[in-house]
Amino acid sequence: MIEVTKGGVRLHLFIQPKSSKNEIVGSHNGLLKIKITAPPVDGKANEGLIAFLSDYFDLPKRDITIIRGDTGRQKTVELLGVSEQFVREKLKL
């Protein structure tokens, strides 16, 4: 679910687009499940995910990158400039 990298942390996610609200649900098959209101059309769910993570972790959008899974529900997202401890505290893990 959380992987430490040289510049920050990578999150392994399962995304549920077109939900009623943006929220972090919890663990799902070893991945962190996040619901996003944006539909999975023309990259809108990816944009919605980055915007949500930016607000949630109080990071600029430029510090959040989708590394893997652009078109799928399983994604790997890198957060630059944060520690594993910070992410675990924010996620209450």
Side-chain angles (χ1 to χ4, degrees), residues 50-93:
I50 289 173
F52 173 70
L53 291 174
S54 174
D55 289 342
Y56 191 85
F57 290 108
D58 196 25
L59 288 171
K61 290 180 187 177
R62 69 178 177 271
D63 289 345
I64 302 170
T65 308
I66 297 175
I67 303 294
R68 216 175 284 126
D70 272 347
T71 58
R73 288 180 172 221
Q74 292 186 14
K75 301 185 185 299
T76 301
V77 176
E78 186 162 37
L79 309 176
L80 296 176
V82 296
S83 68
E84 179 183 13
Q85 181 180 350
F86 170 79
V87 171
R88 285 189 181 280
E89 287 173 6
K90 290 292 279 185
L91 295 174
K92 299 171 180 68
L93 296 177

Side-chain angles (χ1 to χ4, degrees), residues 22-38:
N22 292 330
E23 66 179 331
I24 294 176
V25 179
S27 183
H28 175 81
N29 293 333
L31 303 171
L32 182 64
K33 183 174 180 179
I34 299 180
K35 291 183 176 182
I36 298 294
T37 57

